[in-house]
Amino acid sequence: MIGLVDCNNFYVSCERVFQPHLEGVPVGVMSNNDGCVIARSNELKALGVEMGMPAFELQQWVNQGRIRLLSSNYELYGDMSARVREVLEEFSAGVEPYSIDEMFVRFDGFDAATTQALARTLYRNVRQFTGIPVCVGVAHTRTLAKLANRAAKKLPGYHGVCVIPAEGDETRHLLERTALGDVWGVGRRLVERLAIQGIETAWELRNADPKAIRRRYSVTLERTVRELQGTPCIEMNDIDEPRQRIMTSRSFGRLTGDLGELQAAIRQHAQRGAEKLRRQDSQARAVYVFLKTNPHRPDLAQYSPGIIVELPEPTDDSRPILAAAQRGLIEMYRPGYRFMKGGVMLLDLLDTNRQQLSLLDTPEHAAQRERDHQLMATLDELNHKMGRGTVRLGMPRKNAVWHLRCAHRTPRYTTQWGEIPTALA
C-alpha cells in the first residue's frame, strides 16, 4: 500500500512552530514581493479570504489587527520540509516527495492492522519531532491515497488518519461523496466533458470502462480510472533523476530599465543556475536569457525578449555561463522599457561523466579542465559551509532590483546563525 502525508497549511504551520502566539490567529503568507496570499490558516479561510487575493485588499484588516500577513520565508519552509522527510524516512520503507508539503510513503508488506498503526505513528511523530501537523491517507494506489488523505483532513471522524481498502463499503461511500473535480489529475475541462457523459463523481468514474475512457479522452485518464479501481498505474518520477533543463528566474522587487541593474540580476541567476547544474553533475551546451515587462501595465511600453547563446563547449563552470548570459542580455536589451522579471535557463544538458571530448584534446586542455573543476568545487564547498553567496562573481549592490520585497519576513530560524531563536532568561 502507499500513503500520502500532507502537511496542514504548511507555510503557516512552519511560522507557528517558532511563533506559538500565532496559534488561533488568522494568518496568511504572501507571494514573492508581498503581492498576494498564497497560504492561509483555517482561521483566515473562515474569514472568506481566497487563495490569490491581493495583499493590498486586506491591508485594512491588518491595520486593525484582525489578521497577520507574513512574507514568504522559503529558506525556512524548505528546511522544515526536509525535516519532515527525515522523520518519515526513519519510520517507513521509503519516501517519494511530491511537493514541498506532500510526500508519498511506502507501506509494502504490512497487513491492515499494522498499516493503520504505522500511519498513526507517522501522524504523531511528525508533529512531535517537527511541530508540523499532518494528515495521512493510505490506500492501494496513489490516486486513492490522495482521496484518503482528503478524507483524513476533511472528516473529523478519521482523526487525521484514513486507511481505505481497494474494495468495500467504506471505499464506495468515500468515492460516492467525492466530486469529480476533487480527483487527482481531473481538471475543470475534463469535469465538464465527463458530466455530459453522466460521470459526476469519483465512484461513477471508477465504474467507467477504462478502454473506452482511453479512446475518448486519454491514456492519462485511463490510468486514473484504473487507480480508482485499485490497480497501481502511476509512478512518481525519481527525485534524483537529473533535470533536462534548469531555470532560475524571479520577479524584480521593482520595475527597472537600468542596464546595470539588469546585468546584476542576470549575473545572480546565471550563478545560481550553474550551482544547480554542478549539483546534479551535468553540463550545459547553451544558455537562454529572457526579460519580461509587466503585461498588466498597458500604460508602459511592452517588450519581452529572449535569446539563446550557444556555449563554445559543454560546461558547468560559472564563468563561461555567466559571460554567455551577459552577452545575450546586451544583445537583446533596448532602452526605454521597464522590466518586471528576468531569468536564465540552461539548455541541452548532458551528464558530466559521459562528456565526449574532441579528438584534438590535449593534455594542457585536460589540466585546465581539472583546475576549473577544482575551482568550482572549492567555491561550492565554501558557499555550502559558510552560507549561499559567501563567494560569488561580482558584488551585488545594496537594495539590488532583484532583491524581493519581503517587509514582513520572519527570521530564518533553522538555517542562518544570526537568526537562530534565543531564549530569554
Side-chain angles (χ1 to χ4, degrees):
M1 297 183 78
I2 188 92
L4 178 66
V5 179
D6 183 11
C7 302
N8 300 339
N9 305 323
F10 181 59
Y11 291 176
V12 174
S13 295
C14 290
E15 301 288 354
R16 285 174 168 172
V17 169
F18 299 95
Q19 301 184 80
H21 63 275
L22 293 179
E23 290 287 348
V25 176
V27 179
V29 174
M30 296 178 286
S31 62
N32 287 347
N33 293 314
D34 296 346
C36 61
V37 175
I38 59 171
R40 304 161 295 160
S41 68
N42 291 333
E43 297 82 2
L44 194 63
K45 295 175 185 177
L47 293 176
V49 176
E50 299 291 337
M51 186 72 78
M53 180 176 287
F56 73 86
E57 294 184 8
L58 300 170
Q59 194 57 48
Q60 183 176 358
W61 284 1
V62 173
N63 296 339
Q64 294 171 353
R66 295 181 60 187
I67 67 173
R68 285 286 304 275
L69 292 183
L70 304 174
S71 301
S72 299
N73 192 343
Y74 291 116
E75 194 167 331
L76 172 66
Y77 307 151
D79 185 67
M80 294 300 290
S81 177
R83 292 170 185 244
V84 171
R85 180 179 177 181
E86 288 174 0
V87 175
L88 297 178
E89 288 175 339
E90 183 177 354
F91 294 95
S92 65
V95 178
E96 301 171 354
Y98 176 61
S99 66
I100 192 171
D101 62 343
E102 292 181 278
M103 302 179 195
F104 286 104
V105 179
R106 304 296 313 191
F107 286 90
D108 299 332
F110 298 113
D111 57 29
T114 305
T115 298
Q116 179 76 38
L118 184 55
R120 184 64 60 181
T121 298
L122 294 179
Y123 172 80
R124 290 193 307 266
N125 287 354
V126 172
R127 181 63 184 266
Q128 179 182 352
F129 297 161
T130 68
I132 302 296
V134 300
C135 287
V136 183
V138 184
H140 283 79
T141 69
R142 287 172 175 80
T143 302
L144 286 174
K146 273 272 192 179
L147 295 179
N149 184 278
R150 184 175 182 275
K153 183 176 294 188
K154 301 289 185 181
L155 303 178
Y158 285 111
H159 303 289
V161 176
C162 176
V163 180
I164 59 173
E167 301 284 349
D169 291 340
E170 181 181 9
T171 303
R172 175 173 181 167
H173 292 156
L174 177 61
L175 295 181
E176 286 177 339
R177 289 180 293 176
T178 302
L180 205 54
D182 293 326
V183 177
W184 186 32
V186 180
R188 179 180 57 83
R189 292 185 178 180
L190 267 179
V191 170
E192 295 172 352
R193 293 175 63 191
L194 288 166
I196 297 174
Q197 195 177 335
I199 299 175
E200 298 182 349
T201 67
W203 177 252
E204 291 169 344
L205 182 61
R206 179 191 188 277
N207 293 328
D209 179 9
K211 293 183 179 179
I213 289 292
R214 177 172 184 167
R215 287 194 299 269
R216 186 163 185 174
Y217 299 97
S218 67
V219 66
T220 302
L221 189 58
E222 178 199 10
R223 290 173 183 157
T224 298
V225 173
R226 295 189 183 279
E227 287 250 328
L228 290 174
Q229 295 172 347
T231 303
C233 297
I234 299 175
E235 293 293 333
M236 301 302 298
N237 293 329
D238 186 348
I239 191 67
D240 297 320
E241 183 179 348
R243 286 175 285 180
Q244 298 303 305
R245 57 185 63 185
I246 292 176
M247 165 79 83
T248 308
S249 68
R250 182 174 291 173
S251 296
F252 301 148
R254 62 181 185 277
L255 297 178
T256 183
D258 182 80
L259 179 59
E261 291 184 329
L262 295 174
Q263 287 177 318
I266 294 301
R267 181 170 64 241
Q268 170 74 9
H269 295 324
Q271 291 184 77
R272 182 69 182 130
E275 291 173 7
K276 295 178 181 179
L277 190 68
R278 292 191 291 272
R279 187 180 303 157
Q280 73 169 35
D281 209 15
S282 297
Q283 295 186 342
R285 294 191 181 97
V287 178
Y288 174 67
V289 188
F290 68 91
L291 295 171
K292 289 185 178 181
T293 50
N294 189 343
H296 304 294
R297 289 288 303 273
D299 57 311
L300 299 177
Q302 299 296 312
Y303 175 54
S304 297
I307 189 171
I308 294 178
V309 180
E310 186 176 354
L311 293 164
E313 60 182 9
T315 184
D316 61 4
D317 192 315
S318 296
R319 295 168 296 176
I321 290 174
L322 191 153
Q326 295 290 358
R327 288 199 304 274
L329 174 64
I330 293 297
E331 184 170 342
M332 67 183 183
Y333 173 76
R334 300 288 184 274
Y337 297 95
R338 300 181 67 190
F339 298 98
M340 65 169 288
K341 186 176 184 178
V344 173
M345 183 185 294
L346 304 182
L347 304 172
D348 203 5
L349 307 188
L350 57 84
D351 188 338
T352 298
N353 299 316
R354 298 180 181 178
Q355 180 184 5
Q356 185 173 356
L357 302 178
S358 169
L359 292 174
L360 302 179
D361 198 49
T362 65
E364 290 76 13
H365 290 152
Q368 183 61 50
R369 280 198 305 273
E370 180 60 26
R371 287 193 294 270
D372 294 341
H373 173 76
Q374 291 296 330
L375 176 61
M376 292 297 107
T378 301
L379 184 148
D380 290 340
E381 183 178 2
L382 287 170
N383 286 331
H384 177 72
K385 288 183 177 180
M386 308 302 294
R388 184 187 300 172
T390 300
V391 181
R392 69 183 91 190
L393 301 177
M395 290 300 295
R397 304 176 186 177
K398 188 177 181 180
N399 298 322
V401 66
W402 48 267
H403 287 161
L404 293 177
R405 290 196 305 269
C406 48
H408 306 285
R409 195 200 70 199
T410 54
R412 294 159 292 183
Y413 301 100
T414 61
T415 57
Q416 297 293 326
W417 286 107
E419 300 178 21
I420 291 177
T422 56
L424 301 178

